[in-house]
Amino acid sequence: MKHLTTATVTAAAYEDFCSTYGMDVTSWSGYSVLAGIRELRMVTFALQIAGEHPHARAEAQHRVDCLRGRNGPRPWTWTAVP
């Protein structure tokens, strides 16, 4: 997720992860379903936070727009929300 969805992990760091884990999880047949679930969770979390932290509203909208295809293909630039 952090490599392909949000690009917060470099390719080299992801290769190190795969080497340690023993597998590239993106090659698993179920990865796209798992990734979609995780992305939706990251978006809904931002939406929850936006209610309590007004500065997070723009980030929540940005994430929704990404899932709806309004901000181009992955990786997307998502900013952490509190």
Side-chain angles (χ1 to χ4, degrees):
M1 293 295 307
K2 290 184 177 184
H3 176 58
L4 296 179
T5 298
T6 61
T8 55
V9 170
T10 66
Y14 185 70
E15 285 181 31
D16 286 344
F17 167 79
C18 292
S19 178
T20 302
Y21 189 66
M23 176 186 171
D24 178 356
V25 295
T26 65
S27 66
W28 172 54
S29 64
Y31 177 76
S32 63
V33 173
L34 180 65
I37 291 167
R38 180 76 173 123
E39 289 169 356
L40 182 59
R41 185 194 170 285
M42 292 169 75
V43 170
T44 57
F45 177 74
L47 290 167
Q48 271 184 299
I49 296 301
E52 300 170 16
H53 301 277
H55 65 278
R57 288 183 186 152
E59 178 62 22
Q61 183 62 59
H62 174 69
R63 292 180 186 196
V64 169
D65 289 344
C66 287
L67 288 187
R68 292 182 136 187
R70 297 178 182 153
N71 290 325
R74 291 166 187 83
W76 299 310
T77 303
W78 289 0
T79 304
V81 291

Short mmCIF file of all heavy atoms in Angstrom, two decimals, residues 14-39:
data_model
loop_
_atom_site.label_atom_id
_atom_site.label_comp_id
_atom_site.label_asym_id
_atom_site.label_seq_id
_atom_site.Cartn_x
_atom_site.Cartn_y
_atom_site.Cartn_z
N TYR A 14 10.82 -1.08 -0.49
CA TYR A 14 9.84 -2.14 -0.71
C TYR A 14 10.53 -3.45 -1.08
O TYR A 14 10.12 -4.52 -0.62
CB TYR A 14 8.82 -1.75 -1.79
CG TYR A 14 7.74 -2.79 -1.93
CD1 TYR A 14 6.80 -2.96 -0.93
CD2 TYR A 14 7.71 -3.64 -3.02
CE1 TYR A 14 5.84 -3.95 -1.01
CE2 TYR A 14 6.75 -4.63 -3.12
CZ TYR A 14 5.82 -4.78 -2.11
OH TYR A 14 4.87 -5.77 -2.19
N GLU A 15 11.58 -3.39 -1.86
CA GLU A 15 12.35 -4.60 -2.19
C GLU A 15 12.92 -5.22 -0.93
O GLU A 15 12.91 -6.45 -0.78
CB GLU A 15 13.46 -4.26 -3.18
CG GLU A 15 12.97 -4.03 -4.58
CD GLU A 15 14.10 -3.73 -5.55
OE1 GLU A 15 15.23 -4.22 -5.34
OE2 GLU A 15 13.84 -2.98 -6.51
N ASP A 16 13.43 -4.39 -0.02
CA ASP A 16 13.94 -4.89 1.26
C ASP A 16 12.83 -5.57 2.05
O ASP A 16 13.04 -6.63 2.64
CB ASP A 16 14.55 -3.76 2.10
CG ASP A 16 15.89 -3.29 1.57
OD1 ASP A 16 16.51 -4.00 0.75
OD2 ASP A 16 16.31 -2.18 1.98
N PHE A 17 11.65 -4.96 2.07
CA PHE A 17 10.50 -5.55 2.76
C PHE A 17 10.20 -6.93 2.17
O PHE A 17 10.02 -7.90 2.91
CB PHE A 17 9.28 -4.64 2.65
CG PHE A 17 8.00 -5.32 3.06
CD1 PHE A 17 7.67 -5.47 4.39
CD2 PHE A 17 7.14 -5.83 2.10
CE1 PHE A 17 6.50 -6.10 4.78
CE2 PHE A 17 5.96 -6.47 2.47
CZ PHE A 17 5.65 -6.61 3.82
N CYS A 18 10.12 -7.01 0.84
CA CYS A 18 9.80 -8.28 0.17
C CYS A 18 10.83 -9.34 0.49
O CYS A 18 10.49 -10.51 0.71
CB CYS A 18 9.69 -8.08 -1.34
SG CYS A 18 8.28 -7.09 -1.85
N SER A 19 12.09 -8.94 0.52
CA SER A 19 13.16 -9.87 0.83
C SER A 19 13.01 -10.42 2.25
O SER A 19 13.14 -11.62 2.48
CB SER A 19 14.51 -9.18 0.67
OG SER A 19 15.56 -10.04 1.01
N THR A 20 12.72 -9.53 3.18
CA THR A 20 12.54 -9.94 4.58
C THR A 20 11.28 -10.77 4.76
O THR A 20 11.28 -11.80 5.43
CB THR A 20 12.49 -8.70 5.49
OG1 THR A 20 13.70 -7.97 5.33
CG2 THR A 20 12.30 -9.08 6.94
N TYR A 21 10.18 -10.34 4.12
CA TYR A 21 8.89 -11.04 4.24
C TYR A 21 8.92 -12.36 3.49
O TYR A 21 8.20 -13.29 3.85
CB TYR A 21 7.79 -10.12 3.70
CG TYR A 21 6.39 -10.60 3.95
CD1 TYR A 21 5.88 -10.67 5.24
CD2 TYR A 21 5.56 -10.95 2.89
CE1 TYR A 21 4.58 -11.11 5.48
CE2 TYR A 21 4.26 -11.38 3.11
CZ TYR A 21 3.78 -11.46 4.40
OH TYR A 21 2.49 -11.88 4.63
N GLY A 22 9.72 -12.43 2.43
CA GLY A 22 9.82 -13.66 1.66
C GLY A 22 8.88 -13.73 0.48
O GLY A 22 8.77 -14.77 -0.17
N MET A 23 8.20 -12.62 0.18
CA MET A 23 7.23 -12.62 -0.91
C MET A 23 6.87 -11.18 -1.26
O MET A 23 6.86 -10.31 -0.40
CB MET A 23 5.97 -13.35 -0.47
CG MET A 23 4.85 -13.34 -1.46
SD MET A 23 3.37 -14.12 -0.72
CE MET A 23 2.19 -13.71 -1.97
N ASP A 24 6.57 -10.96 -2.52
CA ASP A 24 6.03 -9.67 -2.95
C ASP A 24 4.51 -9.82 -2.91
O ASP A 24 3.92 -10.48 -3.78
CB ASP A 24 6.50 -9.33 -4.35
CG ASP A 24 5.93 -8.02 -4.88
OD1 ASP A 24 5.09 -7.39 -4.19
OD2 ASP A 24 6.32 -7.62 -5.99
N VAL A 25 3.88 -9.23 -1.92
CA VAL A 25 2.43 -9.41 -1.75
C VAL A 25 1.62 -8.87 -2.92
O VAL A 25 0.50 -9.29 -3.14
CB VAL A 25 1.93 -8.80 -0.42
CG1 VAL A 25 2.52 -9.53 0.77
CG2 VAL A 25 2.21 -7.32 -0.37
N THR A 26 2.21 -7.95 -3.70
CA THR A 26 1.47 -7.41 -4.85
C THR A 26 1.30 -8.45 -5.95
O THR A 26 0.47 -8.28 -6.83
CB THR A 26 2.14 -6.15 -5.42
OG1 THR A 26 3.42 -6.48 -5.95
CG2 THR A 26 2.26 -5.07 -4.35
N SER A 27 2.07 -9.53 -5.89
CA SER A 27 1.93 -10.59 -6.89
C SER A 27 0.86 -11.62 -6.49
O SER A 27 0.50 -12.48 -7.28
CB SER A 27 3.27 -11.29 -7.12
OG SER A 27 3.68 -11.98 -5.95
N TRP A 28 0.37 -11.54 -5.29
CA TRP A 28 -0.67 -12.44 -4.80
C TRP A 28 -1.98 -12.13 -5.52
O TRP A 28 -2.33 -10.97 -5.71
CB TRP A 28 -0.79 -12.27 -3.28
CG TRP A 28 -1.94 -12.98 -2.65
CD1 TRP A 28 -2.24 -14.31 -2.75
CD2 TRP A 28 -2.93 -12.41 -1.80
NE1 TRP A 28 -3.36 -14.60 -2.01
CE2 TRP A 28 -3.81 -13.43 -1.42
CE3 TRP A 28 -3.17 -11.12 -1.32
CZ2 TRP A 28 -4.90 -13.24 -0.59
CZ3 TRP A 28 -4.25 -10.92 -0.50
CH2 TRP A 28 -5.10 -11.97 -0.14
N SER A 29 -2.73 -13.14 -5.89
CA SER A 29 -3.97 -12.95 -6.65
C SER A 29 -5.02 -12.14 -5.89
O SER A 29 -5.86 -11.48 -6.50
CB SER A 29 -4.55 -14.29 -7.06
OG SER A 29 -4.92 -15.05 -5.92
N GLY A 30 -4.98 -12.14 -4.58
CA GLY A 30 -5.95 -11.40 -3.78
C GLY A 30 -5.53 -9.99 -3.43
O GLY A 30 -6.26 -9.26 -2.74
N TYR A 31 -4.36 -9.58 -3.90
CA TYR A 31 -3.84 -8.27 -3.51
C TYR A 31 -4.76 -7.12 -3.88
O TYR A 31 -4.98 -6.21 -3.09
CB TYR A 31 -2.44 -8.02 -4.09
CG TYR A 31 -1.94 -6.64 -3.75
CD1 TYR A 31 -1.47 -6.36 -2.48
CD2 TYR A 31 -2.02 -5.59 -4.67
CE1 TYR A 31 -1.06 -5.09 -2.13
CE2 TYR A 31 -1.60 -4.31 -4.32
CZ TYR A 31 -1.12 -4.07 -3.06
OH TYR A 31 -0.73 -2.81 -2.71
N SER A 32 -5.31 -7.12 -5.07
CA SER A 32 -6.15 -5.98 -5.49
C SER A 32 -7.36 -5.81 -4.59
O SER A 32 -7.76 -4.68 -4.29
CB SER A 32 -6.58 -6.12 -6.95
OG SER A 32 -7.39 -7.27 -7.12
N VAL A 33 -7.93 -6.91 -4.11
CA VAL A 33 -9.07 -6.81 -3.18
C VAL A 33 -8.60 -6.26 -1.84
O VAL A 33 -9.20 -5.35 -1.29
CB VAL A 33 -9.75 -8.19 -3.00
CG1 VAL A 33 -10.81 -8.13 -1.90
CG2 VAL A 33 -10.36 -8.66 -4.31
N LEU A 34 -7.50 -6.79 -1.35
CA LEU A 34 -6.94 -6.31 -0.08
C LEU A 34 -6.58 -4.83 -0.18
O LEU A 34 -6.88 -4.05 0.72
CB LEU A 34 -5.70 -7.13 0.28
CG LEU A 34 -5.00 -6.75 1.58
CD1 LEU A 34 -5.89 -7.01 2.77
CD2 LEU A 34 -3.70 -7.52 1.70
N ALA A 35 -5.96 -4.43 -1.28
CA ALA A 35 -5.57 -3.03 -1.47
C ALA A 35 -6.80 -2.13 -1.51
O ALA A 35 -6.81 -1.05 -0.91
CB ALA A 35 -4.75 -2.87 -2.74
N GLY A 36 -7.83 -2.55 -2.21
CA GLY A 36 -9.06 -1.75 -2.29
C GLY A 36 -9.70 -1.56 -0.92
O GLY A 36 -10.16 -0.47 -0.58
N ILE A 37 -9.71 -2.60 -0.13
CA ILE A 37 -10.26 -2.52 1.23
C ILE A 37 -9.43 -1.55 2.07
O ILE A 37 -9.97 -0.69 2.77
CB ILE A 37 -10.31 -3.91 1.89
CG1 ILE A 37 -11.35 -4.78 1.20
CG2 ILE A 37 -10.59 -3.80 3.39
CD1 ILE A 37 -11.26 -6.25 1.56
N ARG A 38 -8.13 -1.67 1.98
CA ARG A 38 -7.24 -0.80 2.77
C ARG A 38 -7.36 0.66 2.33
O ARG A 38 -7.39 1.56 3.17
CB ARG A 38 -5.80 -1.29 2.60
CG ARG A 38 -4.80 -0.48 3.35
CD ARG A 38 -4.82 -0.79 4.84
NE ARG A 38 -3.72 -0.08 5.47
CZ ARG A 38 -3.86 0.77 6.47
NH1 ARG A 38 -5.04 0.99 6.99
NH2 ARG A 38 -2.83 1.39 6.97
N GLU A 39 -7.45 0.89 1.03
CA GLU A 39 -7.62 2.26 0.54
C GLU A 39 -8.93 2.85 1.05
O GLU A 39 -8.96 4.01 1.50
CB GLU A 39 -7.59 2.29 -0.99
CG GLU A 39 -6.23 2.04 -1.56
CD GLU A 39 -6.22 1.80 -3.05
OE1 GLU A 39 -7.30 1.75 -3.68
OE2 GLU A 39 -5.12 1.66 -3.61
#
